[in-house]
Amino acid sequence: MDEKDEKCGVLFVCMGNTCRSTMAEGILRHLLKEKGLTAKYHVDSAAIMHWQVGNPIDKRTQAVLKENDIDPFHHVARQITKEDFFRFDFILGMDEYNISDLLSIKPPDSKAQIGLLGSFDSSANDPVIPDPYCSISQYSIQCTRDVTLPV
């Protein structure tokens, strides 16, 4: 078993991999670093669709992360692969469309557990994390949700 297999793998997924999933990736990386747990986790993010592949994190996402003292990180948008379902223990989508798409492409023998990231927010009335791509106000809302992951 290689080192990556011994880590808990968490993959965040949204439509384009430039907003929600990258913000979630940045926030989890930040929380793990604060708790000294980075060596125990493999964290990444990916897209359902291909149209943003190769693009960097959205500038508005970067700005919100910076405003919340979350270290910037280099990321290039990528599309989820079949291999991801075997590399990651948890694949967390942002909305029902992400979950439906993930379930439709998940190999039957994969190890990944699929769920909504927002379901970890005990105070939310709705576990859906809306796509902020066309709404500037949604960017700060995402970052301040009380999502408590079991880290």
Side-chain angles (χ1 to χ4, degrees):
M1 179 180 301
D2 65 30
E3 183 181 320
K4 196 168 276 188
D5 288 336
E6 295 173 13
K7 294 181 177 184
C8 179
V10 181
L11 180 69
F12 297 105
V13 177
C14 67
M15 291 302 283
N17 192 218
T18 60
C19 301
R20 296 176 289 175
S21 59
T22 52
M23 185 173 293
E25 178 185 352
I27 291 169
L28 182 57
R29 286 178 183 270
H30 176 79
L31 293 172
L32 292 170
K33 184 178 177 182
E34 280 186 335
K35 295 177 185 254
L37 296 172
T38 55
K40 295 185 178 197
Y41 288 85
H42 172 61
V43 181
D44 198 0
S45 60
I48 294 289
M49 304 304 288
H50 69 277
W51 67 78
Q52 293 283 2
V53 169
N55 289 336
I57 299 172
D58 187 282
K59 290 178 184 177
R60 296 167 294 179
T61 301
Q62 292 175 356
V64 171
L65 291 172
K66 185 177 179 179
E67 288 168 15
N68 287 275
D69 297 320
I70 296 172
D71 293 335
F73 63 100
H74 177 73
H75 180 81
V76 176
R78 70 177 188 88
Q79 191 170 16
I80 192 167
T81 65
K82 296 272 187 211
E83 292 77 26
D84 287 329
F85 291 92
F86 297 94
R87 290 180 55 220
F88 293 93
D89 300 289
F90 301 96
I91 299 179
L92 302 174
M94 305 296 147
D95 59 38
E96 292 93 350
Y97 299 109
N98 300 157
I99 299 303
S100 176
D101 289 337
L102 289 167
L103 291 172
S104 73
I105 61 173
K106 179 184 178 190
D109 58 339
S110 70
K111 70 175 187 175
Q113 295 181 42
I114 295 174
L116 276 172
L117 172 60
S119 67
F120 291 94
D121 182 352
S122 59
S123 66
N125 292 330
D126 185 358
V128 169
I129 297 175
D131 193 342
Y133 191 77
C134 295
S135 171
I136 293 172
S137 66
Q138 285 295 322
Y139 271 84
S140 59
I141 291 169
Q142 271 192 64
C143 208
T144 57
R145 283 187 70 168
D146 183 22
V147 176
T148 306
L149 295 173
V151 293

